[in-house]
Amino acid sequence: MALLAGTLVAGLAACANDPLADQYRAGDNKGYIAGDFAVVEIPADERGEPVQFAATTESGADVSSEDYLGDVLVVNFWYAGCGPCRAEAPDLEKAYGEFEGDDVAFLGINTIDSAEAAAAFAETYGITYPSAIASETPAIKLAFAEKTPIQATPTTLVLDADGRVAARIIGQLPDASILTSLVRDTLAESS
């Protein structure tokens, strides 16, 4: 009995320091769980298996991991009601523009909205790269979650030319230069 009580206390204590649980319990109804900005870079020899996915974009086009093999792929998880997603949209588009003509692609993954809402967001915020619509093809979220933690929205990933996660940005991107540096480093690996 004492062992059971000790295990329960230890388990509850572990939950007490969980910032995501604390945000949920706060009940402020902001509509998202914020992530503290953090960058995780993964050395090439420590990367896992490639992420394999297939989905449909807001325009109805089919996309898959096969379409991006050989390119560095930036993947941004977002949704229209997310304040940090709206705030980082110009920086993502700026980074996208900096790699025009390079072996770099961008793909948004809208986690909850309809294709129409995602298209309206893209028009409002000037986003010119496509977004996969997870509400229509929910397996895309699982494909990424099986390979790397997606702890907050927004989260931005950089995949190497083999489709493996090379870097992860948790939370709102504070500046385009952070992302462009990660992409340049990953792009240089295949040169």
Side-chain angles (χ1 to χ4, degrees):
M1 185 69 153
L3 180 60
L4 178 61
T7 303
L8 183 59
V9 168
L12 291 174
C15 293
N17 294 324
D18 182 355
L20 296 177
D22 291 344
Q23 286 184 51
Y24 176 77
R25 284 191 291 271
D28 58 9
N29 294 319
K30 62 186 170 192
Y32 62 92
I33 301 285
D36 294 333
F37 173 73
V39 175
V40 176
E41 291 183 84
I42 304 165
D45 62 346
E46 296 177 20
R47 295 178 191 155
E49 294 296 314
V51 180
Q52 296 183 349
F53 64 88
T56 303
T57 68
E58 75 276 27
S59 67
D62 292 331
V63 295
S64 76
S65 49
E66 297 294 319
D67 299 331
Y68 300 104
L69 285 180
D71 291 345
V72 171
L73 176 61
V74 175
V75 178
N76 176 256
F77 290 82
W78 68 279
Y79 63 94
C82 163
C85 300
R86 293 189 299 265
E88 75 175 5
D91 288 325
L92 287 162
E93 182 63 26
K94 181 178 178 183
Y96 175 62
E98 286 190 35
F99 292 104
E100 189 172 341
D102 292 329
D103 293 331
V104 177
F106 277 57
L107 178 67
I109 297 181
N110 183 290
T111 58
I112 61 173
D113 297 319
S114 67
E116 294 79 16
F121 180 97
E123 185 175 330
T124 299
Y125 291 94
I127 301 299
T128 58
Y129 55 86
S131 283
I133 306 302
S135 64
E136 294 178 13
T137 47
I140 192 167
K141 290 193 300 188
L142 182 59
F144 281 92
E146 287 177 339
K147 304 297 183 197
T148 190
I150 308 296
Q151 299 167 321
T153 302
T155 290
T156 304
L157 305 175
V158 178
L159 277 58
D160 66 17
D162 296 322
R164 302 174 307 156
V165 178
R168 183 174 67 243
I169 301 170
I170 302 167
Q172 179 182 331
L173 180 66
D175 187 80
S177 65
I178 294 166
L179 179 57
T180 58
S181 292
L182 293 169
V183 171
R184 287 187 202 292
D185 289 349
T186 307
L187 194 56
E189 294 173 4
S190 57
S191 297

